[in-house]
Amino acid sequence: MIDLAYYTSEAVTLLHSLIGIPSVSREEEAAADFLQNYIEETGIMTGRSGNNIWCISPMFDLRKPTILLNSHIDTVKPVNGWRKHPYTPKTENGKLYGLGSNDAGASVVSLFQAYRHLSATEQAYNLIFLASCEEEVSGKNGIESVLPQLPAIALGIVGEPTEMQPAIAEKGLMVLDVTAYGKAGHAARNEGVNAIYKVLEDVQWFRDYRFPKESPLLGPVKMSVTQINAGTQHNVVPDTCTFVVDIRSNECYSNEELFQEICAHIQSEAKARSFRLNSSHIDANHPFVKRAVKMGRVPFGSPTLSDQALMKFPSVKIGPGKSSRSHTADEYILLSEIEEAIGMYIELLDGLVL
């Protein structure tokens, strides 16, 4: 029997407290301390690495597969336009306002209450709850630093605002710094090699090129030139021109494959800031996905990045709230969404066989 009212009350109370503790990425220590103390006061042992907190179901058995329940405690900085105070939780008309309420505090507290219920009974799998840090900046001290310390994971459930619909694919991210080199000269004379002119064809290529493999869930690879810089003053021919390209990959290509293809087509020098954040996906016939569909959920492909990009195992992104509320002024979560999420997480996972 699920005491959903109790779990919801606990989750909302915990979320109130977390909203009141500023936890911008890389500054999550106070929130991590509070959450760790809260978990241990419920009688559950915790592990900790940096500002990442986790707990492992007491009936852990190496012969069983392990499911990871994960969401993040860090937030972005408050944007302009807040009419309410971002760190003062306020409930009005069934909405709980506060920075991180939607992204992703509601997922953190809902997943933990689901963990409490599920880990109290024998399951065909082990369960780990992990509240990680630095998700908003894809920091190396976040989930990437913790996963090697945990048992092998068979399935990851990533709490992010998806209206409790399962994102079974997610676009990856690669950022390129591209540089063309010319030769400085006086703009009044016929001298020098203008680096701006050298990048024009490459910028046009990024605008127009289409990678042939398109995903039925995520669509094509998307490339956008987002920044450009050159020149020191009006009368000097610039000897360098740099531009930045934001690339959102689908599951048909690794970031390394995309980089090799790009370098074969452009004349300028390209450097990738990282290859870490690849696209992720899970088979539509996975038992978790099939159960979600049976419950009326609709699988989709997500254009936004999460810690799924750092998971080398099958994962699904699913959580309370709406993505459109994230990183906005007067961010909020509906209390009814928290209640729905706890019940749905439990229904999705209770008795699941991988």
Side-chain angles (χ1 to χ4, degrees), residues 46 68 95 126 128-129 131 163 175 203 224 226 273 275 288 314:
T46 62
L68 175 69
K95 298 177 180 178
N126 304 306
I128 298 176
F129 169 78
E163 301 178 73
V175 180
V203 170
S224 304
T226 55
R273 295 183 186 177
F275 295 120
F288 180 90

Side-chain angles (χ1 to χ4, degrees), residues 49-280:
S49 177
N51 294 327
N52 304 283
I53 311 295
W54 68 86
C55 38
I56 300 176
S57 53
M59 292 174 273
F60 188 89
D61 185 341
L62 283 171
R63 294 169 296 181
K64 295 179 180 179
T66 297
I67 296 177
L68 175 69
L69 306 180
N70 166 245
S71 192
H72 62 93
I73 60 172
D74 63 312
T75 72
V76 295
K77 294 179 180 179
V79 298
N80 292 328
W82 276 84
R83 293 166 296 175
K84 305 178 187 300
H85 193 285
Y87 299 118
T88 302
K90 188 174 182 62
T91 302
E92 291 180 354
N93 301 318
K95 298 177 180 178
L96 174 55
Y97 291 89
L99 182 61
S101 55
N102 180 76
D103 184 16
S107 290
V108 171
V109 300
S110 298
L111 282 169
F112 178 67
Q113 300 305 324
Y115 170 88
R116 289 179 70 182
H117 179 83
L118 293 164
S119 62
T121 57
E122 186 77 26
Q123 299 288 346
Y125 53 81
N126 304 306
L127 202 57
I128 298 176
F129 169 78
L130 168 63
S132 51
C133 66
E134 297 192 8
E135 188 274 345
E136 295 289 3
V137 293
S138 300
K140 292 194 174 184
N141 292 320
I143 195 170
E144 189 175 37
S145 69
V146 179
L147 290 177
Q149 304 178 52
L150 300 179
I153 306 297
L155 172 66
I157 309 297
V158 180
E160 291 281 351
T162 69
E163 301 178 73
M164 289 307 291
Q165 304 293 349
I168 64 172
E170 176 186 89
K171 281 202 167 181
L173 170 66
M174 179 171 59
V175 180
L176 299 185
D177 293 297
V178 186
T179 306
Y181 298 96
K183 183 179 179 181
H186 198 298
R189 295 190 292 269
N190 188 24
E191 62 185 35
V193 177
N194 195 319
I196 293 176
Y197 297 158
K198 293 185 72 173
V199 305
L200 294 179
E201 287 187 9
D202 289 343
V203 170
Q204 185 175 2
W205 181 85
F206 279 110
R207 183 191 68 185
D208 296 338
Y209 186 76
R210 298 291 179 268
F211 285 91
K213 297 178 186 176
E214 296 195 8
S215 163
L217 285 165
L218 298 175
V221 174
K222 187 175 186 300
M223 300 191 291
S224 304
V225 175
T226 55
Q227 295 172 276
I228 191 163
N229 186 63
T232 56
Q233 56 192 65
H234 77 88
N235 58 353
V236 177
V237 173
D239 60 355
T240 60
C241 182
T242 62
F243 62 95
V244 176
V245 189
D246 178 290
I247 300 170
R248 304 290 169 153
S249 52
N250 61 27
E251 77 277 18
C252 305
Y253 300 93
S254 69
N255 285 336
E256 288 91 339
E257 289 171 330
L258 294 176
F259 183 75
Q260 290 173 2
E261 182 75 6
I262 289 166
C263 290
H265 282 86
I266 65 173
Q267 302 302 311
S268 304
E269 176 185 277
K271 293 182 179 179
R273 295 183 186 177
S274 170
F275 295 120
R276 297 163 59 228
L277 305 175
N278 283 294
S279 175
S280 58

Side-chain angles (χ1 to χ4, degrees), residues 28-49:
E28 311 97 341
E29 185 174 3
D33 289 345
F34 181 89
L35 181 60
Q36 184 174 26
N37 289 335
Y38 171 87
I39 293 173
E40 291 182 350
E41 285 175 1
T42 68
I44 297 172
M45 294 179 60
T46 62
R48 180 163 179 170
S49 177

